[in-house]
Short mmCIF file of all heavy atoms in Angstrom, two decimals:
data_model
loop_
_atom_site.label_atom_id
_atom_site.label_comp_id
_atom_site.label_asym_id
_atom_site.label_seq_id
_atom_site.Cartn_x
_atom_site.Cartn_y
_atom_site.Cartn_z
N LYS L 1 0.83 -1.21 0.00
CA LYS L 1 0.00 0.00 0.00
C LYS L 1 0.86 1.26 0.00
O LYS L 1 0.51 2.26 -0.65
CB LYS L 1 -0.95 -0.03 1.20
CG LYS L 1 -2.01 -1.11 1.08
CD LYS L 1 -3.01 -1.06 2.23
CE LYS L 1 -4.07 -2.13 2.07
NZ LYS L 1 -5.12 -2.05 3.12
N ALA L 2 1.98 1.22 0.69
CA ALA L 2 2.87 2.37 0.71
C ALA L 2 3.45 2.67 -0.66
O ALA L 2 3.84 3.81 -0.95
CB ALA L 2 4.00 2.14 1.71
N ASN L 3 3.48 1.65 -1.52
CA ASN L 3 3.96 1.82 -2.88
C ASN L 3 2.83 2.11 -3.87
O ASN L 3 3.02 2.03 -5.08
CB ASN L 3 4.75 0.59 -3.32
CG ASN L 3 6.19 0.60 -2.83
OD1 ASN L 3 7.06 1.18 -3.48
ND2 ASN L 3 6.43 -0.01 -1.69
N GLY L 4 1.66 2.46 -3.34
CA GLY L 4 0.57 2.94 -4.18
C GLY L 4 -0.28 1.89 -4.85
O GLY L 4 -1.05 2.20 -5.78
N MET L 5 -0.20 0.64 -4.39
CA MET L 5 -0.96 -0.45 -5.00
C MET L 5 -2.04 -0.95 -4.06
O MET L 5 -1.96 -0.75 -2.84
CB MET L 5 -0.03 -1.61 -5.37
CG MET L 5 1.04 -1.25 -6.39
SD MET L 5 2.23 -2.61 -6.65
CE MET L 5 3.19 -2.53 -5.12
N LYS L 6 -3.04 -1.63 -4.60
CA LYS L 6 -3.97 -2.39 -3.80
C LYS L 6 -3.26 -3.65 -3.32
O LYS L 6 -2.48 -4.26 -4.07
CB LYS L 6 -5.22 -2.77 -4.60
CG LYS L 6 -6.05 -1.58 -5.09
CD LYS L 6 -6.76 -0.89 -3.96
CE LYS L 6 -7.71 0.18 -4.48
NZ LYS L 6 -8.40 0.90 -3.37
N ALA L 7 -3.55 -4.05 -2.08
CA ALA L 7 -2.83 -5.18 -1.48
C ALA L 7 -3.68 -6.44 -1.50
O ALA L 7 -4.81 -6.45 -1.00
CB ALA L 7 -2.44 -4.84 -0.05
N GLY L 8 -3.12 -7.50 -2.07
CA GLY L 8 -3.82 -8.76 -2.15
C GLY L 8 -3.09 -9.87 -1.44
O GLY L 8 -1.86 -9.83 -1.29
N VAL L 9 -3.86 -10.87 -1.01
CA VAL L 9 -3.30 -12.09 -0.42
C VAL L 9 -3.83 -13.28 -1.21
O VAL L 9 -5.05 -13.43 -1.36
CB VAL L 9 -3.68 -12.25 1.06
CG1 VAL L 9 -3.15 -13.58 1.61
CG2 VAL L 9 -3.12 -11.10 1.89
N ALA L 10 -2.93 -14.10 -1.73
CA ALA L 10 -3.32 -15.32 -2.44
C ALA L 10 -3.16 -16.50 -1.48
O ALA L 10 -2.27 -16.51 -0.63
CB ALA L 10 -2.46 -15.52 -3.67
N MET L 11 -4.05 -17.49 -1.64
CA MET L 11 -4.03 -18.65 -0.75
C MET L 11 -4.13 -19.93 -1.56
O MET L 11 -5.00 -20.07 -2.43
CB MET L 11 -5.19 -18.57 0.26
CG MET L 11 -5.18 -17.32 1.11
SD MET L 11 -6.43 -17.34 2.41
CE MET L 11 -5.60 -18.33 3.66
N ASN L 12 -3.26 -20.89 -1.23
CA ASN L 12 -3.30 -22.20 -1.87
C ASN L 12 -4.56 -22.96 -1.47
O ASN L 12 -5.19 -22.66 -0.45
CB ASN L 12 -2.07 -23.01 -1.48
CG ASN L 12 -0.82 -22.54 -2.18
OD1 ASN L 12 -0.89 -21.84 -3.19
ND2 ASN L 12 0.34 -22.92 -1.66
N PRO L 13 -4.94 -23.97 -2.25
CA PRO L 13 -6.19 -24.70 -1.96
C PRO L 13 -6.25 -25.30 -0.56
O PRO L 13 -7.33 -25.42 0.01
CB PRO L 13 -6.20 -25.79 -3.04
CG PRO L 13 -5.44 -25.21 -4.18
CD PRO L 13 -4.35 -24.40 -3.54
N HIS L 14 -5.10 -25.68 0.00
CA HIS L 14 -5.10 -26.36 1.30
C HIS L 14 -5.10 -25.39 2.48
O HIS L 14 -5.25 -25.83 3.63
CB HIS L 14 -3.86 -27.26 1.42
CG HIS L 14 -2.58 -26.49 1.57
ND1 HIS L 14 -1.89 -26.01 0.48
CD2 HIS L 14 -1.89 -26.10 2.66
CE1 HIS L 14 -0.81 -25.37 0.90
NE2 HIS L 14 -0.79 -25.39 2.22
N THR L 15 -4.96 -24.10 2.24
CA THR L 15 -4.80 -23.13 3.33
C THR L 15 -6.17 -22.67 3.85
O THR L 15 -6.99 -22.17 3.07
CB THR L 15 -3.99 -21.92 2.85
OG1 THR L 15 -2.73 -22.37 2.34
CG2 THR L 15 -3.74 -20.95 4.00
N PRO L 16 -6.42 -22.79 5.15
CA PRO L 16 -7.73 -22.41 5.70
C PRO L 16 -7.98 -20.91 5.63
O PRO L 16 -7.10 -20.10 5.94
CB PRO L 16 -7.65 -22.87 7.17
CG PRO L 16 -6.53 -23.87 7.22
CD PRO L 16 -5.55 -23.41 6.17
N ILE L 17 -9.17 -20.54 5.24
CA ILE L 17 -9.59 -19.15 5.16
C ILE L 17 -9.49 -18.45 6.52
O ILE L 17 -9.17 -17.27 6.61
CB ILE L 17 -11.05 -19.07 4.64
CG1 ILE L 17 -11.10 -19.44 3.16
CG2 ILE L 17 -11.64 -17.68 4.85
CD1 ILE L 17 -10.27 -18.56 2.27
N GLU L 18 -9.74 -19.20 7.58
CA GLU L 18 -9.78 -18.62 8.92
C GLU L 18 -8.47 -17.94 9.31
O GLU L 18 -8.45 -17.08 10.21
CB GLU L 18 -10.13 -19.70 9.95
CG GLU L 18 -11.57 -20.22 9.86
CD GLU L 18 -11.81 -21.20 8.70
OE1 GLU L 18 -10.82 -21.63 8.06
OE2 GLU L 18 -12.99 -21.50 8.43
N LEU L 19 -7.39 -18.28 8.65
CA LEU L 19 -6.09 -17.68 8.96
C LEU L 19 -6.03 -16.19 8.61
O LEU L 19 -5.12 -15.49 9.03
CB LEU L 19 -4.98 -18.43 8.22
CG LEU L 19 -4.74 -19.87 8.68
CD1 LEU L 19 -3.78 -20.58 7.75
CD2 LEU L 19 -4.21 -19.90 10.11
N LEU L 20 -7.01 -15.70 7.86
CA LEU L 20 -7.05 -14.29 7.49
C LEU L 20 -7.87 -13.43 8.46
O LEU L 20 -7.97 -12.22 8.26
CB LEU L 20 -7.62 -14.12 6.08
CG LEU L 20 -6.83 -14.74 4.93
CD1 LEU L 20 -7.54 -14.47 3.61
CD2 LEU L 20 -5.40 -14.21 4.89
N ALA L 21 -8.43 -14.04 9.48
CA ALA L 21 -9.37 -13.34 10.35
C ALA L 21 -8.78 -12.06 10.96
O ALA L 21 -9.49 -11.06 11.10
CB ALA L 21 -9.85 -14.27 11.47
N ASP L 22 -7.52 -12.07 11.32
CA ASP L 22 -6.92 -10.90 11.96
C ASP L 22 -6.43 -9.84 10.98
O ASP L 22 -5.93 -8.79 11.39
CB ASP L 22 -5.75 -11.33 12.86
CG ASP L 22 -6.21 -12.10 14.08
OD1 ASP L 22 -7.34 -11.85 14.54
OD2 ASP L 22 -5.45 -12.97 14.55
N LEU L 23 -6.58 -10.12 9.68
CA LEU L 23 -6.04 -9.21 8.67
C LEU L 23 -7.06 -8.73 7.65
O LEU L 23 -6.75 -7.86 6.84
CB LEU L 23 -4.91 -9.91 7.90
CG LEU L 23 -3.55 -10.06 8.58
CD1 LEU L 23 -2.64 -10.93 7.72
CD2 LEU L 23 -2.92 -8.71 8.82
N ILE L 24 -8.25 -9.29 7.68
CA ILE L 24 -9.17 -9.10 6.55
C ILE L 24 -9.44 -7.63 6.24
O ILE L 24 -9.58 -7.25 5.07
CB ILE L 24 -10.49 -9.89 6.77
CG1 ILE L 24 -11.25 -10.04 5.47
CG2 ILE L 24 -11.33 -9.27 7.87
CD1 ILE L 24 -10.54 -10.87 4.42
N GLU L 25 -9.49 -6.78 7.26
CA GLU L 25 -9.76 -5.36 7.02
C GLU L 25 -8.61 -4.67 6.28
O GLU L 25 -8.80 -3.59 5.70
CB GLU L 25 -10.03 -4.62 8.33
CG GLU L 25 -11.32 -5.02 9.02
CD GLU L 25 -11.11 -6.11 10.07
OE1 GLU L 25 -10.07 -6.79 10.01
OE2 GLU L 25 -11.98 -6.27 10.94
N ASP L 26 -7.42 -5.27 6.31
CA ASP L 26 -6.25 -4.68 5.66
C ASP L 26 -6.02 -5.20 4.25
O ASP L 26 -5.09 -4.77 3.56
CB ASP L 26 -4.99 -4.96 6.50
CG ASP L 26 -5.08 -4.37 7.89
OD1 ASP L 26 -5.34 -3.15 7.99
OD2 ASP L 26 -4.91 -5.11 8.88
N ILE L 27 -6.86 -6.15 3.82
CA ILE L 27 -6.66 -6.80 2.52
C ILE L 27 -7.67 -6.27 1.51
O ILE L 27 -8.87 -6.25 1.77
CB ILE L 27 -6.82 -8.33 2.65
CG1 ILE L 27 -5.84 -8.88 3.69
CG2 ILE L 27 -6.60 -9.01 1.30
CD1 ILE L 27 -6.09 -10.34 4.04
#
């Protein structure tokens, strides 16, 4: 974000969605 881009997180098929709970507002 500091470099002027939208910030994305990619997740492999085996990775649980719940791991993003503490970050979702920043993504």
Side-chain angles (χ1 to χ4, degrees):
K1 292 184 179 184
N3 278 274
M5 298 174 287
K6 298 289 187 182
V9 176
M11 302 187 81
N12 285 343
H14 71 275
T15 304
I17 289 300
E18 291 77 9
L19 293 172
L20 296 181
D22 291 331
L23 283 173
I24 197 65
E25 293 94 341
D26 299 306
I27 303 170

